[in-house]
Amino acid sequence: RKEVEQDPGPFNVPEGATVAFNCTYSNSASQSFFWYRQDCRKEPKLLMSVYSSGNEDGRFTAQLNRASQYISLLIRDSKLSDSATYLCVVKGRNTGFQKLVFGTGTRLLVSP
Amino acid sequence: EAGVAQSPRYKIIEKRQSVAFWCNPISGHATLYWYQQILGQGPKLLIQFQNNGVVDDSQLPKDRFSAERLKGVDSTLKIQPAKLEDSAVYLCASSLGGSSGQVSYNEQFFGPGTRLTVL
């Protein structure tokens, strides 16, 4: 079983739609959780951290369910510029140091 | 502030040849990471340095891959000899910290990557 699993998509949505991505992780000792965004042929960039209480940044809402070991990202009022791959990232420990484990990513295509 | 620099941006080689990639992290960042990203997959950590010491190289294919960060600043990743399955984007990232015991997250900043094609 992969440490971090995501539906690769693609998710095709019209502008203005609301779309949600889920991600599951296998290591119950995982400490921190993030969503990264990766544009085509570009490097990943941090979109937002995911907190146990849930957190929101503009049109983006992230939630964490530790009991079920899943993370979600909700995008409201989708824009064309939201088209990208969204990587679910989990931070664990490797001999005391921080280690990020990336999912395969979920591709989002927003159309006019 | 300058970001993470990588070179070359693209490289095409034949299998069994050697190749080296260079990374210069953000100034002051103690931790440096090399990732391999195969098409359609997420980045996979190959090696992590804390200053000039290796923290984690458990997923580095040591029979053909090597990396160094001799002065604790820039780093090189080498593949010798290359195989077809090494075709991927090699991403370098850096962060301020990441030392043992730190709980707070240190954001990793990625460079633009080197796209390697092995023919």
Side-chain angles (χ1 to χ4, degrees):
Chain A
R1 183 186 172 188
K2 290 182 180 178
E3 285 189 70
V4 180
E5 294 205 64
Q6 295 181 251
D7 180 344
F11 284 58
N12 290 284
V13 302
E15 269 188 294
T18 296
V19 61
F21 309 136
N22 290 328
C23 161
T24 58
Y25 61 95
S26 61
N27 185 353
S28 59
S30 298
Q31 299 178 325
S32 306
F33 311 88
F34 313 91
W35 285 100
Y36 273 70
R37 170 189 169 132
Q38 186 170 27
D39 291 299
C40 188
R41 303 179 79 85
K42 298 286 188 180
E43 71 272 22
K45 292 184 179 178
L46 179 65
L47 178 65
M48 60 195 303
S49 301
V50 186
Y51 303 119
S52 297
S53 55
N55 50 300
E56 189 174 306
D57 182 2
R59 298 182 293 107
F60 298 82
T61 301
Q63 292 196 314
L64 167 65
N65 185 319
R66 284 188 182 271
S68 301
Q69 294 181 209
Y70 83 79
I71 307 147
S72 65
L73 177 67
L74 182 78
I75 305 175
R76 291 181 300 278
D77 188 23
S78 299
K79 312 291 185 189
L80 295 176
S81 57
D82 294 334
S83 296
T85 296
Y86 292 84
L87 297 161
C88 176
V89 186
V90 172
K91 186 176 74 167
R93 279 191 173 271
N94 52 328
T95 62
F97 288 78
Q98 315 301 332
K99 176 180 179 178
L100 295 185
V101 180
F102 288 77
T104 56
T106 298
R107 192 172 171 206
L108 172 65
L109 299 172
V110 182
S111 54
Chain B
E1 179 180 296
V4 177
Q6 289 188 247
S7 67
R9 293 293 311 276
Y10 304 92
K11 190 73 177 178
I12 300 174
I13 62 173
E14 294 187 349
K15 60 183 180 183
R16 291 188 289 273
Q17 285 188 321
S18 301
V19 64
F21 313 128
W22 175 82
C23 171
N24 193 24
I26 293 173
S27 177
H29 280 196
T31 309
L32 186 147
Y33 314 79
W34 282 103
Y35 289 87
Q36 180 193 57
Q37 186 172 23
I38 293 172
L39 187 65
Q41 299 182 20
K44 181 184 84 172
L45 180 69
L46 292 175
I47 188 166
Q48 178 179 341
F49 292 94
Q50 176 75 8
N51 297 308
N52 61 349
V54 175
V55 169
D56 184 353
D57 62 358
S58 58
Q59 297 192 97
L60 187 73
K62 298 180 187 62
D63 58 335
R64 297 184 301 106
F65 286 65
S66 64
E68 59 183 17
R69 194 185 183 200
L70 293 176
K71 296 182 179 179
V73 181
D74 57 349
S75 174
T76 55
L77 175 70
K78 296 179 182 177
I79 307 176
Q80 180 180 3
K83 292 186 176 181
L84 296 176
E85 59 261 36
D86 297 333
S87 294
V89 176
Y90 290 85
L91 294 161
C92 179
S94 70
S95 65
L96 273 170
S99 59
S100 179
Q102 277 189 330
V103 177
S104 62
Y105 168 67
N106 287 281
E107 181 179 351
Q108 292 187 21
F109 295 86
F110 286 82
T114 296
R115 186 173 298 274
L116 173 67
T117 302
V118 182
L119 302 175

